Amino acid sequence: MALLGLWLCPAFAATQEQPPTLGQEGKDAPWVPTPQELVDTMLDMAGVTGEDLLIDLGAGDGRVVISAAHRGARAIGVELDPGLVELAKTNAAAAGVSALTEFVTADIFEFDFSSASVISMFLLPELTLRLRPTLFDLRPGTRILSNTWDMRGTETDPEARGWDPDQTIVLDPCPGFCTAHVWTVPTKVAGTWRLDDGRLLHLTQRFQQVAGRLESGGSATEIFGGRLDGTTLTFGANGVDHTAEVDQAAMRGTTGTGDNTNSWRAQRVP
Ligand SMILES: C[S@@+](CC[C@H](N)C(=O)[O-])C[C@H]1O[C@@H](n2cnc3c(N)ncnc32)[C@H](O)[C@@H]1O
């Protein structure tokens, strides 16, 4: 709760002469650090490893970047406040992870973060929503982490609703801020696909949720439970589970389970 008070009562932005202070105002969000326990939970949820490049949007004192580097990941912190960038570099050096980390003095709305395999953020609700279109267009499979704020939107703006987290964990007891969300960027599947047996799969998509119908010789069956996890599409149709790997214009799928598994392919109909 004390941290929430800091959030609501921002102090002045840091200058070179004045060291950063907790709760100080940033351009779009104040500096309030994520509790280390929640940082660790978020990195666990995304399964961060040495294969990853994590970019923290609004890096503060660098703790998310440094923690990712402790797991072997390369990590970049984007932070507009030069005093915080210096503090983060000092902290990274003290933690022995300077070689894996980089801190850039930049505005998150001008920085190209499309090379990341993991994005992390602790901003404000409207900023998180403003970033949503850019985040949704990241490479499929990119994981997005957020402390507290999600990307569902507001009830008064139906257009803003929709991107449910794939997983949410709430720490108990709460170390100040306690809610961690993770999303995996889904690939784009909306449109019509022709299966190799001639059937047509018509799909609509709302973030990771997929609906549609499977059409065969003039009759159509609704699909159910359609969902994307990165490039993996799962849905039910005709009482059977379908799973497919989607690669832009092609799907390679299996139907059924165990000994009753069949393979299928589909091409996007232009
Ligand atoms: C709530 S703090 C989060 C710090 C860190 N990510 C963490 O989780 O501990 C938000 C940070 O975003 C920075 N910030 C605010 N607006 C920004 C912008 N437009 N570009 C870059 N950084 C910004 C603030 O200076 C602050 O350090």
Side-chain angles (χ1 to χ4, degrees), residues 7 24-35 39 42 56-64 78-81 84 104-110 120-124 127 147 149:
W7 187 288
Q24 71 176 30
E25 202 169 351
K27 172 175 169 270
D28 294 305
W31 173 41
V32 179
T34 296
V39 172
M42 290 163 70
D56 189 31
L57 303 180
D61 63 3
R63 61 183 57 201
V64 181
V78 185
E79 170 59 57
L80 203 52
D81 185 301
L84 280 170
V104 183
T105 309
D107 190 320
I108 56 172
F109 288 100
E110 287 162 17
S120 58
M121 55 191 178
F122 179 27
L123 298 167
L124 286 171
L127 291 187
N147 173 347
W149 315 117

Side-chain angles (χ1 to χ4, degrees), residues 59-205:
D61 63 3
R63 61 183 57 201
V64 181
V65 166
I66 292 166
S67 300
H70 278 312
R71 296 175 184 227
R74 285 187 304 124
I76 299 172
V78 185
E79 170 59 57
L80 203 52
D81 185 301
L84 280 170
V85 168
E86 284 313 306
L87 176 62
K89 284 181 180 170
T90 305
N91 290 344
V97 293
S98 295
L100 283 172
T101 60
E102 189 183 340
F103 293 94
V104 183
T105 309
D107 190 320
I108 56 172
F109 288 100
E110 287 162 17
F111 187 82
D112 177 6
F113 48 82
S114 59
S115 57
S117 60
V118 181
I119 293 288
S120 58
M121 55 191 178
F122 179 27
L123 298 167
L124 286 171
E126 62 274 19
L127 291 187
T128 309
L129 270 186
R130 209 194 318 160
L131 284 168
R132 190 175 71 179
T134 311
L135 295 169
F136 183 60
D137 275 341
L138 290 175
R139 202 172 47 236
T142 305
R143 290 96 81 210
I144 300 165
L145 296 165
S146 178
N147 173 347
T148 301
W149 315 117
D150 66 36
M151 294 193 277
R152 289 193 182 96
T154 62
E155 291 190 6
T156 50
D157 180 1
E159 283 306 305
R161 299 192 71 174
W163 197 359
D164 291 331
D166 292 313
Q167 188 190 10
T168 297
I169 290 180
V170 182
L171 297 184
D172 181 17
C174 180
F177 286 89
C178 39
T179 304
H181 303 290
V182 63
W183 298 255
T184 300
V185 175
T187 195
K188 311 280 197 300
V189 294
T192 297
W193 300 77
R194 187 185 304 283
L195 277 67
D196 41 16
D197 61 7
R199 289 179 297 164
L200 291 176
L201 181 60
H202 304 280
L203 298 178
T204 59
Q205 177 176 1

